[in-house]
Amino acid sequence: MTIVEFGLGHGNITEEILRSISDHSTLYSFEVNKDFYEYVHEKLADQRLTIINIAAETFRQHVPEKVDYVISSIPFSFMSRKKIEALLSDVYSCLKDEGYFSQVLYSKRYIKNFRSVFEESKLVRPNRFSLEHIFHCEKIGHTK
Ligand SMILES: C[S@@+](CC[C@H](N)C(=O)[O-])C[C@H]1O[C@@H](n2cnc3c(N)ncnc32)[C@H](O)[C@@H]1O
């Protein structure tokens, strides 16, 4: 299985991903901030993990294969509409059929962006007190 992550931060999601994937899986994680990159690089030495200190927007140049999942917690609020659309389109093309994209955001308003790219998109709130919204999007592709 091949997974791509955008936005490492302190590596909490990264750690969870590593906990749940097999020994033969590969995780590419993109983090734009050098301090977070170095912190996680030291904290999580794992042969399945490749950390790339570069913006998620250029991920396709660094991921040489189709992937099963893309998991993102980068904020969309600082990105232009054009950048968001380009990123989602790149994510869609990079996914295998029946692959998933999950994105954590603090606003529900992006559901339209996801629905315009993915065949299936749903919004989940972990609980009613949570400020975070998680969007789960599926690329159905040609197999169904
Ligand atoms: C909300 S934090 C992520 C929290 C993290 N997943 C964790 O478990 O600790 C968002 C992270 O995305 C990074 N980031 C923001 N824009 C980015 C981009 N365009 N490409 C890659 N990383 C980005 C920030 O530097 C920050 O570390």
Side-chain angles (χ1 to χ4, degrees):
M1 186 176 286
T2 307
I3 299 118
V4 169
E5 181 192 15
F6 302 150
L8 278 165
H10 290 101
N12 300 316
I13 294 177
T14 321
E15 226 171 342
E16 282 305 316
I17 298 170
L18 289 171
R19 233 194 293 276
S20 59
I21 60 178
S22 72
D23 291 348
H24 306 292
S25 296
T26 305
L27 171 60
Y28 298 94
S29 292
F30 292 83
E31 170 56 57
V32 79
N33 180 295
K34 197 158 191 283
D35 292 336
F36 285 134
Y37 162 80
E38 282 171 358
Y39 174 81
V40 180
H41 201 265
E42 271 194 22
K43 180 174 125 176
L44 297 178
D46 189 305
Q47 60 179 18
R48 298 167 297 172
L49 173 64
T50 302
I51 307 180
I52 302 144
N53 183 202
I54 219 159
E57 290 87 327
T58 62
F59 82 97
R60 291 215 68 185
Q61 295 163 31
H62 305 274
V63 177
E65 55 190 313
K66 289 258 185 184
V67 310
D68 299 275
Y69 293 98
V70 178
I71 298 170
S72 170
S73 52
I74 61 172
F76 277 9
S77 39
F78 301 114
M79 290 169 69
S80 68
R81 203 181 59 173
K82 246 187 165 170
K83 272 200 171 174
I84 295 169
E85 285 169 2
L87 181 66
L88 294 181
S89 163
D90 281 350
V91 167
Y92 185 91
S93 339
C94 187
L95 281 172
K96 295 176 188 168
D97 290 352
E98 299 184 14
Y100 275 89
F101 172 57
S102 296
Q103 169 77 49
V104 182
L105 290 171
Y106 290 100
S107 167
K108 293 197 261 200
R109 74 188 163 99
Y110 296 99
I111 190 74
K112 285 182 276 171
N113 298 76
F114 298 114
R115 290 199 170 137
S116 71
V117 174
F118 292 89
E119 289 92 345
E120 301 281 347
S121 299
K122 66 179 180 191
L123 172 59
V124 176
R125 233 169 131 201
N127 62 60
R128 71 193 172 98
F129 304 108
S130 170
L131 298 175
E132 291 154 347
H133 296 88
I134 305 171
F135 297 86
H136 292 297
C137 310
E138 185 180 8
K139 172 177 178 174
I140 307 280
H142 303 295
T143 54
K144 281 187 185 168

PDB file of all heavy atoms in Angstrom, residues 99-132:
ATOM      1  N   GLY A  99      -9.347   4.604  -4.621  1.00  0.00           N
ATOM      2  CA  GLY A  99      -8.477   5.219  -3.620  1.00  0.00           C
ATOM      3  C   GLY A  99      -9.223   6.318  -2.875  1.00  0.00           C
ATOM      4  O   GLY A  99     -10.235   6.832  -3.347  1.00  0.00           O
ATOM      5  N   TYR A 100      -8.703   6.661  -1.713  1.00  0.00           N
ATOM      6  CA  TYR A 100      -9.370   7.659  -0.855  1.00  0.00           C
ATOM      7  C   TYR A 100      -8.490   8.865  -0.565  1.00  0.00           C
ATOM      8  O   TYR A 100      -7.270   8.735  -0.406  1.00  0.00           O
ATOM      9  CB  TYR A 100      -9.724   7.036   0.496  1.00  0.00           C
ATOM     10  CG  TYR A 100     -11.030   6.294   0.484  1.00  0.00           C
ATOM     11  CD1 TYR A 100     -11.071   4.943   0.146  1.00  0.00           C
ATOM     12  CD2 TYR A 100     -12.220   6.952   0.778  1.00  0.00           C
ATOM     13  CE1 TYR A 100     -12.267   4.255   0.120  1.00  0.00           C
ATOM     14  CE2 TYR A 100     -13.428   6.271   0.755  1.00  0.00           C
ATOM     15  CZ  TYR A 100     -13.439   4.931   0.435  1.00  0.00           C
ATOM     16  OH  TYR A 100     -14.635   4.253   0.401  1.00  0.00           O
ATOM     17  N   PHE A 101      -9.147   9.998  -0.456  1.00  0.00           N
ATOM     18  CA  PHE A 101      -8.504  11.234   0.002  1.00  0.00           C
ATOM     19  C   PHE A 101      -9.252  11.693   1.249  1.00  0.00           C
ATOM     20  O   PHE A 101     -10.479  11.824   1.229  1.00  0.00           O
ATOM     21  CB  PHE A 101      -8.605  12.300  -1.098  1.00  0.00           C
ATOM     22  CG  PHE A 101      -8.155  13.669  -0.668  1.00  0.00           C
ATOM     23  CD1 PHE A 101      -6.881  13.878  -0.167  1.00  0.00           C
ATOM     24  CD2 PHE A 101      -8.997  14.762  -0.780  1.00  0.00           C
ATOM     25  CE1 PHE A 101      -6.458  15.146   0.222  1.00  0.00           C
ATOM     26  CE2 PHE A 101      -8.589  16.033  -0.408  1.00  0.00           C
ATOM     27  CZ  PHE A 101      -7.314  16.226   0.095  1.00  0.00           C
ATOM     28  N   SER A 102      -8.524  11.914   2.336  1.00  0.00           N
ATOM     29  CA  SER A 102      -9.151  12.453   3.546  1.00  0.00           C
ATOM     30  C   SER A 102      -8.476  13.758   3.916  1.00  0.00           C
ATOM     31  O   SER A 102      -7.242  13.861   3.879  1.00  0.00           O
ATOM     32  CB  SER A 102      -9.013  11.472   4.714  1.00  0.00           C
ATOM     33  OG  SER A 102      -9.709  10.291   4.413  1.00  0.00           O
ATOM     34  N   GLN A 103      -9.293  14.755   4.259  1.00  0.00           N
ATOM     35  CA  GLN A 103      -8.771  16.096   4.570  1.00  0.00           C
ATOM     36  C   GLN A 103      -9.419  16.611   5.852  1.00  0.00           C
ATOM     37  O   GLN A 103     -10.638  16.583   5.994  1.00  0.00           O
ATOM     38  CB  GLN A 103      -9.100  17.033   3.394  1.00  0.00           C
ATOM     39  CG  GLN A 103      -8.867  18.511   3.645  1.00  0.00           C
ATOM     40  CD  GLN A 103      -7.391  18.914   3.578  1.00  0.00           C
ATOM     41  OE1 GLN A 103      -6.704  18.575   2.637  1.00  0.00           O
ATOM     42  NE2 GLN A 103      -6.920  19.656   4.575  1.00  0.00           N
ATOM     43  N   VAL A 104      -8.587  17.090   6.774  1.00  0.00           N
ATOM     44  CA  VAL A 104      -9.090  17.706   8.007  1.00  0.00           C
ATOM     45  C   VAL A 104      -9.123  19.215   7.793  1.00  0.00           C
ATOM     46  O   VAL A 104      -8.124  19.806   7.382  1.00  0.00           O
ATOM     47  CB  VAL A 104      -8.143  17.419   9.196  1.00  0.00           C
ATOM     48  CG1 VAL A 104      -8.692  18.024  10.483  1.00  0.00           C
ATOM     49  CG2 VAL A 104      -7.911  15.937   9.368  1.00  0.00           C
ATOM     50  N   LEU A 105     -10.271  19.845   8.086  1.00  0.00           N
ATOM     51  CA  LEU A 105     -10.400  21.303   7.952  1.00  0.00           C
ATOM     52  C   LEU A 105     -11.277  21.837   9.071  1.00  0.00           C
ATOM     53  O   LEU A 105     -12.052  21.092   9.675  1.00  0.00           O
ATOM     54  CB  LEU A 105     -11.037  21.667   6.601  1.00  0.00           C
ATOM     55  CG  LEU A 105     -10.204  21.437   5.334  1.00  0.00           C
ATOM     56  CD1 LEU A 105     -11.069  21.651   4.094  1.00  0.00           C
ATOM     57  CD2 LEU A 105      -8.988  22.355   5.282  1.00  0.00           C
ATOM     58  N   TYR A 106     -11.192  23.143   9.299  1.00  0.00           N
ATOM     59  CA  TYR A 106     -12.049  23.750  10.320  1.00  0.00           C
ATOM     60  C   TYR A 106     -13.330  24.338   9.729  1.00  0.00           C
ATOM     61  O   TYR A 106     -14.115  24.927  10.447  1.00  0.00           O
ATOM     62  CB  TYR A 106     -11.274  24.828  11.091  1.00  0.00           C
ATOM     63  CG  TYR A 106     -10.220  24.218  11.973  1.00  0.00           C
ATOM     64  CD1 TYR A 106      -8.891  24.191  11.589  1.00  0.00           C
ATOM     65  CD2 TYR A 106     -10.577  23.605  13.175  1.00  0.00           C
ATOM     66  CE1 TYR A 106      -7.927  23.582  12.375  1.00  0.00           C
ATOM     67  CE2 TYR A 106      -9.615  22.988  13.965  1.00  0.00           C
ATOM     68  CZ  TYR A 106      -8.296  22.991  13.556  1.00  0.00           C
ATOM     69  OH  TYR A 106      -7.355  22.371  14.341  1.00  0.00           O
ATOM     70  N   SER A 107     -13.507  24.203   8.425  1.00  0.00           N
ATOM     71  CA  SER A 107     -14.705  24.754   7.791  1.00  0.00           C
ATOM     72  C   SER A 107     -15.353  23.712   6.902  1.00  0.00           C
ATOM     73  O   SER A 107     -14.673  22.915   6.263  1.00  0.00           O
ATOM     74  CB  SER A 107     -14.308  25.975   6.949  1.00  0.00           C
ATOM     75  OG  SER A 107     -15.372  26.334   6.112  1.00  0.00           O
ATOM     76  N   LYS A 108     -16.715  23.780   6.874  1.00  0.00           N
ATOM     77  CA  LYS A 108     -17.463  22.833   6.029  1.00  0.00           C
ATOM     78  C   LYS A 108     -17.553  23.299   4.590  1.00  0.00           C
ATOM     79  O   LYS A 108     -17.956  22.567   3.719  1.00  0.00           O
ATOM     80  CB  LYS A 108     -18.922  22.778   6.516  1.00  0.00           C
ATOM     81  CG  LYS A 108     -19.145  22.191   7.845  1.00  0.00           C
ATOM     82  CD  LYS A 108     -20.593  21.836   7.966  1.00  0.00           C
ATOM     83  CE  LYS A 108     -21.333  22.922   8.738  1.00  0.00           C
ATOM     84  NZ  LYS A 108     -22.611  22.445   9.284  1.00  0.00           N
ATOM     85  N   ARG A 109     -17.170  24.575   4.372  1.00  0.00           N
ATOM     86  CA  ARG A 109     -17.549  25.182   3.094  1.00  0.00           C
ATOM     87  C   ARG A 109     -16.842  24.583   1.881  1.00  0.00           C
ATOM     88  O   ARG A 109     -17.237  24.845   0.763  1.00  0.00           O
ATOM     89  CB  ARG A 109     -17.351  26.688   3.152  1.00  0.00           C
ATOM     90  CG  ARG A 109     -15.926  27.163   3.091  1.00  0.00           C
ATOM     91  CD  ARG A 109     -15.896  28.661   3.371  1.00  0.00           C
ATOM     92  NE  ARG A 109     -14.566  29.092   3.715  1.00  0.00           N
ATOM     93  CZ  ARG A 109     -13.750  29.671   2.848  1.00  0.00           C
ATOM     94  NH1 ARG A 109     -14.135  29.890   1.620  1.00  0.00           N
ATOM     95  NH2 ARG A 109     -12.549  30.037   3.236  1.00  0.00           N
ATOM     96  N   TYR A 110     -15.822  23.769   2.121  1.00  0.00           N
ATOM     97  CA  TYR A 110     -15.076  23.218   0.981  1.00  0.00           C
ATOM     98  C   TYR A 110     -15.716  21.973   0.371  1.00  0.00           C
ATOM     99  O   TYR A 110     -15.197  21.432  -0.597  1.00  0.00           O
ATOM    100  CB  TYR A 110     -13.638  22.916   1.402  1.00  0.00           C
ATOM    101  CG  TYR A 110     -12.892  24.165   1.781  1.00  0.00           C
ATOM    102  CD1 TYR A 110     -12.735  24.529   3.109  1.00  0.00           C
ATOM    103  CD2 TYR A 110     -12.358  24.995   0.799  1.00  0.00           C
ATOM    104  CE1 TYR A 110     -12.066  25.695   3.462  1.00  0.00           C
ATOM    105  CE2 TYR A 110     -11.683  26.157   1.133  1.00  0.00           C
ATOM    106  CZ  TYR A 110     -11.539  26.497   2.468  1.00  0.00           C
ATOM    107  OH  TYR A 110     -10.882  27.651   2.803  1.00  0.00           O
ATOM    108  N   ILE A 111     -16.821  21.538   0.935  1.00  0.00           N
ATOM    109  CA  ILE A 111     -17.442  20.311   0.416  1.00  0.00           C
ATOM    110  C   ILE A 111     -17.701  20.410  -1.092  1.00  0.00           C
ATOM    111  O   ILE A 111     -17.549  19.434  -1.825  1.00  0.00           O
ATOM    112  CB  ILE A 111     -18.737  19.935   1.203  1.00  0.00           C
ATOM    113  CG1 ILE A 111     -19.232  18.537   0.834  1.00  0.00           C
ATOM    114  CG2 ILE A 111     -19.836  20.966   1.039  1.00  0.00           C
ATOM    115  CD1 ILE A 111     -18.448  17.401   1.382  1.00  0.00           C
ATOM    116  N   LYS A 112     -18.048  21.618  -1.558  1.00  0.00           N
ATOM    117  CA  LYS A 112     -18.322  21.812  -3.001  1.00  0.00           C
ATOM    118  C   LYS A 112     -17.070  21.498  -3.835  1.00  0.00           C
ATOM    119  O   LYS A 112     -17.154  20.903  -4.894  1.00  0.00           O
ATOM    120  CB  LYS A 112     -18.722  23.270  -3.277  1.00  0.00           C
ATOM    121  CG  LYS A 112     -20.131  23.606  -2.834  1.00  0.00           C
ATOM    122  CD  LYS A 112     -20.468  25.042  -3.186  1.00  0.00           C
ATOM    123  CE  LYS A 112     -19.932  25.875  -2.096  1.00  0.00           C
ATOM    124  NZ  LYS A 112     -19.815  27.198  -1.975  1.00  0.00           N
ATOM    125  N   ASN A 113     -15.915  21.921  -3.305  1.00  0.00           N
ATOM    126  CA  ASN A 113     -14.665  21.655  -4.038  1.00  0.00           C
ATOM    127  C   ASN A 113     -14.428  20.155  -4.159  1.00  0.00           C
ATOM    128  O   ASN A 113     -14.026  19.656  -5.209  1.00  0.00           O
ATOM    129  CB  ASN A 113     -13.467  22.280  -3.314  1.00  0.00           C
ATOM    130  CG  ASN A 113     -13.584  23.773  -3.213  1.00  0.00           C
ATOM    131  OD1 ASN A 113     -14.355  24.280  -2.396  1.00  0.00           O
ATOM    132  ND2 ASN A 113     -12.872  24.493  -4.039  1.00  0.00           N
ATOM    133  N   PHE A 114     -14.669  19.426  -3.060  1.00  0.00           N
ATOM    134  CA  PHE A 114     -14.433  17.979  -3.095  1.00  0.00           C
ATOM    135  C   PHE A 114     -15.421  17.303  -4.043  1.00  0.00           C
ATOM    136  O   PHE A 114     -15.054  16.430  -4.816  1.00  0.00           O
ATOM    137  CB  PHE A 114     -14.548  17.378  -1.691  1.00  0.00           C
ATOM    138  CG  PHE A 114     -13.526  17.952  -0.744  1.00  0.00           C
ATOM    139  CD1 PHE A 114     -13.907  18.729   0.338  1.00  0.00           C
ATOM    140  CD2 PHE A 114     -12.177  17.735  -0.953  1.00  0.00           C
ATOM    141  CE1 PHE A 114     -12.961  19.273   1.189  1.00  0.00           C
ATOM    142  CE2 PHE A 114     -11.221  18.273  -0.102  1.00  0.00           C
ATOM    143  CZ  PHE A 114     -11.610  19.049   0.973  1.00  0.00           C
ATOM    144  N   ARG A 115     -16.689  17.752  -3.966  1.00  0.00           N
ATOM    145  CA  ARG A 115     -17.722  17.108  -4.803  1.00  0.00           C
ATOM    146  C   ARG A 115     -17.503  17.373  -6.281  1.00  0.00           C
ATOM    147  O   ARG A 115     -17.959  16.605  -7.124  1.00  0.00           O
ATOM    148  CB  ARG A 115     -19.119  17.560  -4.360  1.00  0.00           C
ATOM    149  CG  ARG A 115     -19.433  16.961  -3.005  1.00  0.00           C
ATOM    150  CD  ARG A 115     -20.898  16.945  -2.669  1.00  0.00           C
ATOM    151  NE  ARG A 115     -21.086  16.130  -1.463  1.00  0.00           N
ATOM    152  CZ  ARG A 115     -21.870  16.440  -0.453  1.00  0.00           C
ATOM    153  NH1 ARG A 115     -22.589  17.550  -0.480  1.00  0.00           N
ATOM    154  NH2 ARG A 115     -21.958  15.635   0.584  1.00  0.00           N
ATOM    155  N   SER A 116     -16.817  18.455  -6.601  1.00  0.00           N
ATOM    156  CA  SER A 116     -16.601  18.730  -8.025  1.00  0.00           C
ATOM    157  C   SER A 116     -15.464  17.875  -8.603  1.00  0.00           C
ATOM    158  O   SER A 116     -15.293  17.820  -9.817  1.00  0.00           O
ATOM    159  CB  SER A 116     -16.334  20.220  -8.254  1.00  0.00           C
ATOM    160  OG  SER A 116     -15.076  20.547  -7.747  1.00  0.00           O
ATOM    161  N   VAL A 117     -14.703  17.221  -7.751  1.00  0.00           N
ATOM    162  CA  VAL A 117     -13.572  16.414  -8.234  1.00  0.00           C
ATOM    163  C   VAL A 117     -13.809  14.911  -8.032  1.00  0.00           C
ATOM    164  O   VAL A 117     -13.561  14.108  -8.930  1.00  0.00           O
ATOM    165  CB  VAL A 117     -12.264  16.840  -7.516  1.00  0.00           C
ATOM    166  CG1 VAL A 117     -11.108  15.932  -7.881  1.00  0.00           C
ATOM    167  CG2 VAL A 117     -11.920  18.296  -7.848  1.00  0.00           C
ATOM    168  N   PHE A 118     -14.294  14.548  -6.844  1.00  0.00           N
ATOM    169  CA  PHE A 118     -14.418  13.121  -6.496  1.00  0.00           C
ATOM    170  C   PHE A 118     -15.854  12.633  -6.721  1.00  0.00           C
ATOM    171  O   PHE A 118     -16.807  13.391  -6.521  1.00  0.00           O
ATOM    172  CB  PHE A 118     -14.033  12.907  -5.020  1.00  0.00           C
ATOM    173  CG  PHE A 118     -12.573  13.146  -4.778  1.00  0.00           C
ATOM    174  CD1 PHE A 118     -12.106  14.415  -4.467  1.00  0.00           C
ATOM    175  CD2 PHE A 118     -11.661  12.112  -4.901  1.00  0.00           C
ATOM    176  CE1 PHE A 118     -10.755  14.650  -4.271  1.00  0.00           C
ATOM    177  CE2 PHE A 118     -10.310  12.334  -4.707  1.00  0.00           C
ATOM    178  CZ  PHE A 118      -9.858  13.600  -4.396  1.00  0.00           C
ATOM    179  N   GLU A 119     -15.977  11.355  -7.093  1.00  0.00           N
ATOM    180  CA  GLU A 119     -17.312  10.798  -7.317  1.00  0.00           C
ATOM    181  C   GLU A 119     -18.100  10.715  -6.013  1.00  0.00           C
ATOM    182  O   GLU A 119     -19.321  10.830  -6.013  1.00  0.00           O
ATOM    183  CB  GLU A 119     -17.208   9.403  -7.947  1.00  0.00           C
ATOM    184  CG  GLU A 119     -16.747   9.403  -9.401  1.00  0.00           C
ATOM    185  CD  GLU A 119     -15.240   9.264  -9.562  1.00  0.00           C
ATOM    186  OE1 GLU A 119     -14.510   9.453  -8.571  1.00  0.00           O
ATOM    187  OE2 GLU A 119     -14.791   8.962 -10.690  1.00  0.00           O
ATOM    188  N   GLU A 120     -17.400  10.460  -4.902  1.00  0.00           N
ATOM    189  CA  GLU A 120     -18.077  10.372  -3.595  1.00  0.00           C
ATOM    190  C   GLU A 120     -17.341  11.257  -2.598  1.00  0.00           C
ATOM    191  O   GLU A 120     -16.116  11.141  -2.474  1.00  0.00           O
ATOM    192  CB  GLU A 120     -18.016   8.934  -3.039  1.00  0.00           C
ATOM    193  CG  GLU A 120     -18.643   7.865  -3.897  1.00  0.00           C
ATOM    194  CD  GLU A 120     -20.160   7.845  -3.766  1.00  0.00           C
ATOM    195  OE1 GLU A 120     -20.684   8.495  -2.832  1.00  0.00           O
ATOM    196  OE2 GLU A 120     -20.793   7.196  -4.610  1.00  0.00           O
ATOM    197  N   SER A 121     -18.079  12.099  -1.886  1.00  0.00           N
ATOM    198  CA  SER A 121     -17.437  12.918  -0.830  1.00  0.00           C
ATOM    199  C   SER A 121     -18.402  13.027   0.330  1.00  0.00           C
ATOM    200  O   SER A 121     -19.579  13.344   0.142  1.00  0.00           O
ATOM    201  CB  SER A 121     -17.161  14.342  -1.312  1.00  0.00           C
ATOM    202  OG  SER A 121     -16.304  14.332  -2.404  1.00  0.00           O
ATOM    203  N   LYS A 122     -17.901  12.744   1.519  1.00  0.00           N
ATOM    204  CA  LYS A 122     -18.768  12.944   2.676  1.00  0.00           C
ATOM    205  C   LYS A 122     -18.013  13.652   3.792  1.00  0.00           C
ATOM    206  O   LYS A 122     -16.772  13.580   3.877  1.00  0.00           O
ATOM    207  CB  LYS A 122     -19.411  11.653   3.139  1.00  0.00           C
ATOM    208  CG  LYS A 122     -18.466  10.653   3.683  1.00  0.00           C
ATOM    209  CD  LYS A 122     -19.204   9.410   4.144  1.00  0.00           C
ATOM    210  CE  LYS A 122     -18.189   8.419   4.683  1.00  0.00           C
ATOM    211  NZ  LYS A 122     -18.644   7.134   4.939  1.00  0.00           N
ATOM    212  N   LEU A 123     -18.792  14.295   4.613  1.00  0.00           N
ATOM    213  CA  LEU A 123     -18.229  15.110   5.682  1.00  0.00           C
ATOM    214  C   LEU A 123     -18.550  14.459   7.016  1.00  0.00           C
ATOM    215  O   LEU A 123     -19.689  14.100   7.280  1.00  0.00           O
ATOM    216  CB  LEU A 123     -18.880  16.496   5.578  1.00  0.00           C
ATOM    217  CG  LEU A 123     -18.636  17.512   6.662  1.00  0.00           C
ATOM    218  CD1 LEU A 123     -17.157  17.794   6.784  1.00  0.00           C
ATOM    219  CD2 LEU A 123     -19.368  18.793   6.298  1.00  0.00           C
ATOM    220  N   VAL A 124     -17.524  14.311   7.847  1.00  0.00           N
ATOM    221  CA  VAL A 124     -17.721  13.670   9.150  1.00  0.00           C
ATOM    222  C   VAL A 124     -17.211  14.618  10.223  1.00  0.00           C
ATOM    223  O   VAL A 124     -16.133  15.213  10.064  1.00  0.00           O
ATOM    224  CB  VAL A 124     -16.902  12.349   9.224  1.00  0.00           C
ATOM    225  CG1 VAL A 124     -17.011  11.711  10.585  1.00  0.00           C
ATOM    226  CG2 VAL A 124     -17.312  11.390   8.135  1.00  0.00           C
ATOM    227  N   ARG A 125     -17.986  14.772  11.290  1.00  0.00           N
ATOM    228  CA  ARG A 125     -17.491  15.529  12.436  1.00  0.00           C
ATOM    229  C   ARG A 125     -17.236  14.520  13.537  1.00  0.00           C
ATOM    230  O   ARG A 125     -18.135  13.771  13.911  1.00  0.00           O
ATOM    231  CB  ARG A 125     -18.557  16.539  12.886  1.00  0.00           C
ATOM    232  CG  ARG A 125     -17.992  17.924  12.978  1.00  0.00           C
ATOM    233  CD  ARG A 125     -19.090  18.913  13.148  1.00  0.00           C
ATOM    234  NE  ARG A 125     -18.749  19.796  14.248  1.00  0.00           N
ATOM    235  CZ  ARG A 125     -19.617  20.499  14.907  1.00  0.00           C
ATOM    236  NH1 ARG A 125     -20.897  20.425  14.616  1.00  0.00           N
ATOM    237  NH2 ARG A 125     -19.232  21.290  15.868  1.00  0.00           N
ATOM    238  N   PRO A 126     -15.984  14.431  14.050  1.00  0.00           N
ATOM    239  CA  PRO A 126     -15.661  13.376  15.011  1.00  0.00           C
ATOM    240  C   PRO A 126     -16.651  13.309  16.180  1.00  0.00           C
ATOM    241  O   PRO A 126     -17.051  12.230  16.596  1.00  0.00           O
ATOM    242  CB  PRO A 126     -14.261  13.741  15.491  1.00  0.00           C
ATOM    243  CG  PRO A 126     -13.686  14.571  14.390  1.00  0.00           C
ATOM    244  CD  PRO A 126     -14.838  15.286  13.750  1.00  0.00           C
ATOM    245  N   ASN A 127     -17.086  14.450  16.702  1.00  0.00           N
ATOM    246  CA  ASN A 127     -18.153  14.491  17.705  1.00  0.00           C
ATOM    247  C   ASN A 127     -18.736  15.897  17.708  1.00  0.00           C
ATOM    248  O   ASN A 127     -18.197  16.788  17.050  1.00  0.00           O
ATOM    249  CB  ASN A 127     -17.637  14.082  19.093  1.00  0.00           C
ATOM    250  CG  ASN A 127     -16.565  15.036  19.578  1.00  0.00           C
ATOM    251  OD1 ASN A 127     -16.799  16.236  19.725  1.00  0.00           O
ATOM    252  ND2 ASN A 127     -15.367  14.516  19.804  1.00  0.00           N
ATOM    253  N   ARG A 128     -19.832  16.111  18.442  1.00  0.00           N
ATOM    254  CA  ARG A 128     -20.513  17.400  18.269  1.00  0.00           C
ATOM    255  C   ARG A 128     -19.762  18.571  18.884  1.00  0.00           C
ATOM    256  O   ARG A 128     -20.087  19.719  18.653  1.00  0.00           O
ATOM    257  CB  ARG A 128     -21.961  17.317  18.737  1.00  0.00           C
ATOM    258  CG  ARG A 128     -22.178  17.199  20.200  1.00  0.00           C
ATOM    259  CD  ARG A 128     -23.629  16.810  20.453  1.00  0.00           C
ATOM    260  NE  ARG A 128     -23.832  16.497  21.848  1.00  0.00           N
ATOM    261  CZ  ARG A 128     -24.325  17.358  22.714  1.00  0.00           C
ATOM    262  NH1 ARG A 128     -24.678  18.549  22.330  1.00  0.00           N
ATOM    263  NH2 ARG A 128     -24.472  17.010  23.988  1.00  0.00           N
ATOM    264  N   PHE A 129     -18.738  18.303  19.687  1.00  0.00           N
ATOM    265  CA  PHE A 129     -17.937  19.390  20.270  1.00  0.00           C
ATOM    266  C   PHE A 129     -16.711  19.712  19.424  1.00  0.00           C
ATOM    267  O   PHE A 129     -16.026  20.697  19.650  1.00  0.00           O
ATOM    268  CB  PHE A 129     -17.485  19.019  21.688  1.00  0.00           C
ATOM    269  CG  PHE A 129     -18.632  18.679  22.590  1.00  0.00           C
ATOM    270  CD1 PHE A 129     -18.858  17.376  22.986  1.00  0.00           C
ATOM    271  CD2 PHE A 129     -19.500  19.679  23.012  1.00  0.00           C
ATOM    272  CE1 PHE A 129     -19.936  17.065  23.802  1.00  0.00           C
ATOM    273  CE2 PHE A 129     -20.589  19.367  23.821  1.00  0.00           C
ATOM    274  CZ  PHE A 129     -20.811  18.053  24.215  1.00  0.00           C
ATOM    275  N   SER A 130     -16.436  18.843  18.467  1.00  0.00           N
ATOM    276  CA  SER A 130     -15.223  19.000  17.675  1.00  0.00           C
ATOM    277  C   SER A 130     -15.305  20.203  16.737  1.00  0.00           C
ATOM    278  O   SER A 130     -16.333  20.474  16.128  1.00  0.00           O
ATOM    279  CB  SER A 130     -15.022  17.721  16.851  1.00  0.00           C
ATOM    280  OG  SER A 130     -14.009  17.932  15.931  1.00  0.00           O
ATOM    281  N   LEU A 131     -14.198  20.922  16.629  1.00  0.00           N
ATOM    282  CA  LEU A 131     -14.133  22.051  15.695  1.00  0.00           C
ATOM    283  C   LEU A 131     -13.674  21.579  14.325  1.00  0.00           C
ATOM    284  O   LEU A 131     -13.753  22.301  13.349  1.00  0.00           O
ATOM    285  CB  LEU A 131     -13.134  23.100  16.213  1.00  0.00           C
ATOM    286  CG  LEU A 131     -13.466  23.736  17.549  1.00  0.00           C
ATOM    287  CD1 LEU A 131     -12.328  24.649  17.999  1.00  0.00           C
ATOM    288  CD2 LEU A 131     -14.773  24.517  17.455  1.00  0.00           C
ATOM    289  N   GLU A 132     -13.187  20.368  14.292  1.00  0.00           N
ATOM    290  CA  GLU A 132     -12.635  19.873  13.030  1.00  0.00           C
ATOM    291  C   GLU A 132     -13.682  19.124  12.211  1.00  0.00           C
ATOM    292  O   GLU A 132     -14.540  18.450  12.770  1.00  0.00           O
ATOM    293  CB  GLU A 132     -11.485  18.901  13.323  1.00  0.00           C
ATOM    294  CG  GLU A 132     -10.293  19.609  13.887  1.00  0.00           C
ATOM    295  CD  GLU A 132      -9.444  18.704  14.741  1.00  0.00           C
ATOM    296  OE1 GLU A 132      -9.906  17.593  15.103  1.00  0.00           O
ATOM    297  OE2 GLU A 132      -8.318  19.107  15.061  1.00  0.00           O
TER     298      GLU A 132
END
